[in-house]
Amino acid sequence: MSLLLVYSVLYALVCVCLLYPPTEFVSSGLTVEGVFSRWLGDPTTDFIGYQVRRAALKRIFVAFMPFGYFALALKLFHEGFYLPIDVSGVGMAVGWDTMALLCAVCLAFFLTYCCFVFTESLVGDWDWTPIAKTLEDFAGPGENWRVVASRINSEVARADNYTTDPRCPIRVVVTENWIIQVNLFGLDVACQENAVFTLHSSNDFAISHHHVLGIQFLNLVVSCEGHNRKSFVVRIPSTDFEPLSLRLRRQIQNADSIPIAKSPLDKFMHTFKEWAGRNPRVEYAGELEPCVGCMERPAEVKLVRRCLEENVRSVDVEYNGQFLRLSTCVRCQCRPMWCIDCMSKWFIARQDADRPGTWLTSRAPCPTCRSPFCLRDVCYLASRVPAE
Ligand SMILES: [Zn+2]
Ligand SMILES: [Zn+2]
Ligand SMILES: [Zn+2]
């Protein structure tokens, strides 16, 4: 493989990483936004101002890329600086003179573009930018885009908004009246009043760096009813479906009945109930009080150390296609005081949140006396019908 090809691939990779920075880049501050953070300002107090400057910066950065490519190539290979290599084997399709000419053209383009952005900022006061044009559509009679911007700014600063990971280059913010998607060079904006959310499709990933149990992403189309604005697509993890729904004024439409994956927590609660349903019922003659966890449902489960009664020192259970070994528990005589939901939440709260794969084989202390119990020990009372 020619050296120039390797260089080109590496250069493209670095550019993509700077435009769509992975979390490692973000946490180390190695992003365009990180380097120019002082000029960009504070996104919490002046959200729109920050986005206008950030989008301009990203455009300048993209305009710089071709010049950077040729300039660096010339520096490295033609002049042979810094590299102890034989530059004759670089694998050039064109001569160095052509390279130098292309470099000059790209520099001229870059400088012209910089002048354009500076004019946009100093003379036009950002009035001609795509973000200003987008916001102008939402301005009332006699208002300009700045009025809309200040409305959005005051709402974005509130704490009760729905927002996706702020470190991602593409993120969604839903406030009381606005739906805003930050993308590379601008913003997609919709008004809650007439925005319609439709679940369009979903993508499942078995393993991700976010979740051990895999993750599902939902693609939602946001269209503005009665407006001739273009609709746009927002992408959220399925675990965000409920928090997003709660923030929206209208229900999310799911005409194709696309199944939405449960969070690891919901999945485990379901498994917990399934196990309790499989365990034998126990008779209990005493009086039943409301569950001490929620005070809503009556107590419905009792902890019977079946693993000990069966004289099993350890048991194998199947989970996610694997057989896992359970250790033993300690008997207790506590009366039923919990409903199945609260018992499963109590159990989950005592597990290692980062390792959901181990929950099924772990134990938790009895809520009353702290003796350990496992999933085989959670039994419904014979008088109770298990809830779905
Ligand atoms: Zn309860
Ligand atoms: Zn107990
Ligand atoms: Zn047990």
Side-chain angles (χ1 to χ4, degrees), residues 291 294 339 342:
C291 157
C294 60
C339 73
C342 293

Side-chain angles (χ1 to χ4, degrees), residues 305 307 329 373-374 377:
R305 302 306 189 282
C307 47
C329 305
F373 72 95
C374 66
D377 310 333

Side-chain angles (χ1 to χ4, degrees), residues 260-292:
I260 297 155
K262 291 171 176 171
S263 69
L265 204 106
D266 290 338
K267 264 191 211 165
F268 187 79
M269 270 178 80
H270 184 75
T271 314
F272 192 94
K273 285 186 199 174
E274 245 178 31
W275 269 81
R278 258 187 263 158
N279 293 339
R281 308 294 182 84
V282 291
E283 296 291 343
Y284 183 73
E287 205 173 308
L288 288 178
E289 281 159 28
C291 157
V292 293

